[in-house]
């Protein structure tokens, strides 16, 4: 798959009308621009969080404005528009509301960073497309997270899919489930004690299970994403959980 084809796989970027007009050299330069965004995301996250901890709203606005310019440059139009809309309301917003938006915005940046990386890391060209009506009542998901509150949140987010959700809190419990059941998808938290999600994913693959693995994380660094892909990642869900976004990603993999 060439670079142009990979760019078309990044659905959260409005690339269709732009990429087709680019020469091959422009495509490669644009891919470098996306790579720069991925490299810069950890710094964006740190700077925004530090500004919020100081309650320095002026610094938050300055940082968001700069990030918005980057989003415009990479054709992340929806996210850039969302950022602009909220920036215009910051004068009247309370700090708690601004902080809530910053947390949401960081999670969306992380999701975009991961999507860009996955477009260039994953070789499978299959694309199931949109959120069409499919009967998933005979499907099952094994969700593993040491946070029981998150498991409850995940189950609620998947409710409209009407598939069976098996929730466990440790990697060993997940392996025990696999002795008697074969899920259609695994949703694995990465940061867990004793056996983390990446180690668990390797064990799942070693047991011969080839069904999709979705990692649950807030970390979008290249090293982290690369390790997950090596362990068998098909996709990622970002914390804090966006229910509609997460359900859409899961449904596409269960088709």
């Amino acid at each position: 798959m060439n670079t142009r084809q990979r760019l078309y796989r990044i659905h959260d970027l409005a690339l269709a009308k732009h990429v087709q007009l680019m020469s091959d050299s422009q495509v490669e330069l644009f891919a470098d621009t996306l790579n720069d965004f991925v490299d810069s995301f950890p710094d964006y996250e740190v700077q925004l969080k530090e500004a919020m901890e100081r309650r320095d709203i002026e610094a938050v606005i300055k940082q968001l404005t700069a990030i918005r310019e980057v989003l415009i440059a990479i054709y992340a139009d929806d996210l850039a528009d969302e950022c602009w809309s909220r920036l215009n309301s910051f004068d009247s917003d309370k700090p708690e509301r601004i902080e809530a938006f910053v947390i949401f915005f960081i999670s969306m940046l992380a999701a975009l960073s991961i999507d860009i990386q996955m477009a260039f890391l994953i070789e499978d060209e299959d694309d199931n497309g949109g959120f069409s009506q499919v009967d998933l009542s005979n499907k099952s998901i094994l969700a593993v997270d040491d946070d029981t509150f998150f498991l409850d949140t995940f189950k609620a987010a998947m409710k409209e899919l009407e598939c069976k959700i098996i929730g466990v809190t440790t990697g060993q419990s997940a392996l025990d489930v696999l002795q008697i059941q074969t899920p259609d998808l695994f949703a694995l938290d990465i940061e867990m004690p004793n056996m983390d999600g990446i180690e668990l994913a390797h064990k799942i693959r070693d047991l011969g299970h080839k069904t999709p693995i979705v990692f649950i994380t807030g970390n979008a660094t290249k090293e982290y994403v690369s390790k997950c892909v090596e362990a068998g990642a098909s996709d990622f869900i970002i914390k804090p959980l966006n229910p509609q976004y997460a359900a859409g990603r899961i449904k596409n993999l269960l088709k």
Side-chain angles (χ1 to χ4, degrees):
M1 190 186 306
N2 61 35
T3 302
R4 192 183 299 270
Q5 291 171 320
R6 290 183 183 279
L7 291 178
Y8 284 125
R9 301 170 70 186
I10 310 171
H11 299 300
D12 287 339
L13 301 183
L15 294 182
K17 63 182 179 181
H18 300 288
V19 174
Q20 65 183 355
L21 299 176
M22 294 179 186
S23 66
D24 289 346
S25 60
Q26 289 174 324
V27 165
E28 296 301 329
L29 286 173
F30 183 71
D32 289 341
T33 301
L34 294 180
N35 187 57
D36 289 341
F37 166 78
V38 170
D39 286 338
S40 300
F41 166 71
D43 291 334
Y44 297 153
E45 181 178 19
V46 169
Q47 291 164 10
L48 281 171
K49 286 182 176 179
E50 288 179 347
M52 279 310 311
E53 287 175 2
R54 300 192 307 268
R55 285 293 193 267
D56 187 345
I57 304 305
E58 183 177 342
V60 171
I61 292 173
K62 182 178 180 180
Q63 186 65 23
L64 287 175
T65 301
I67 294 172
R68 178 176 175 269
E69 293 302 315
V70 174
L71 295 174
I72 291 172
I74 62 174
Y75 306 115
D77 296 348
D78 290 345
L79 198 51
D81 289 347
E82 177 74 15
C83 183
W84 180 247
S85 174
R86 292 308 301 269
L87 279 170
N88 286 332
S89 69
F90 271 13
D91 287 343
S92 59
D93 274 349
K94 296 180 179 179
E96 314 86 72
R97 287 177 57 83
I98 295 175
E99 183 174 16
F101 173 72
V102 168
I103 292 171
F104 161 79
F105 188 68
I106 289 172
S107 71
M108 291 297 96
L109 291 177
L112 178 57
S113 175
I114 289 174
D115 281 352
I116 291 168
Q117 294 176 68
M118 293 290 281
F120 289 91
L121 287 171
I122 299 295
E123 296 300 329
D124 186 3
E125 298 187 41
D126 291 340
D127 185 357
N128 288 319
F131 199 74
S132 57
Q133 293 297 317
V134 179
D135 181 13
L136 302 178
S137 58
N138 63 335
K139 302 286 188 178
S140 64
I141 298 172
L142 176 57
V144 189
D145 195 307
D146 60 316
D147 183 347
T148 56
F149 177 77
F150 181 85
L151 284 177
D152 290 340
T153 303
F154 179 81
K155 290 177 181 179
M158 298 300 117
K159 186 175 180 181
E160 69 176 276
L161 303 188
E162 299 182 347
C163 55
K164 180 181 180 181
I165 310 293
I166 307 161
V168 297
T169 56
T170 68
Q172 186 55 55
S173 296
L175 296 177
D176 292 342
V177 169
L178 293 184
Q179 294 184 28
I180 56 176
Q181 298 191 53
T182 303
D184 297 290
L185 183 142
F186 299 93
L188 311 180
D189 183 32
I190 297 179
E191 301 295 338
M192 296 188 293
N194 299 319
M195 185 190 305
D196 66 26
I198 293 176
E199 182 183 356
L200 175 57
H202 280 295
K203 290 182 180 295
I204 288 170
R205 290 297 189 237
D206 289 343
L207 289 170
H209 295 279
K210 298 180 180 180
T211 49
I213 294 175
V214 176
F215 282 106
I216 304 165
T217 185
N219 191 330
T221 61
K222 282 185 174 180
E223 180 180 5
Y224 213 65
V225 173
S226 179
K227 285 182 179 179
C228 292
V229 170
E230 289 174 4
S234 298
D235 206 345
F236 292 80
I237 292 174
I238 303 299
K239 286 185 174 181
L241 188 70
N242 179 320
Q244 184 176 5
Y245 180 87
R249 311 287 288 211
I250 295 293
K251 185 171 185 178
N252 278 338
L253 290 170
L254 284 175
K255 288 180 180 179

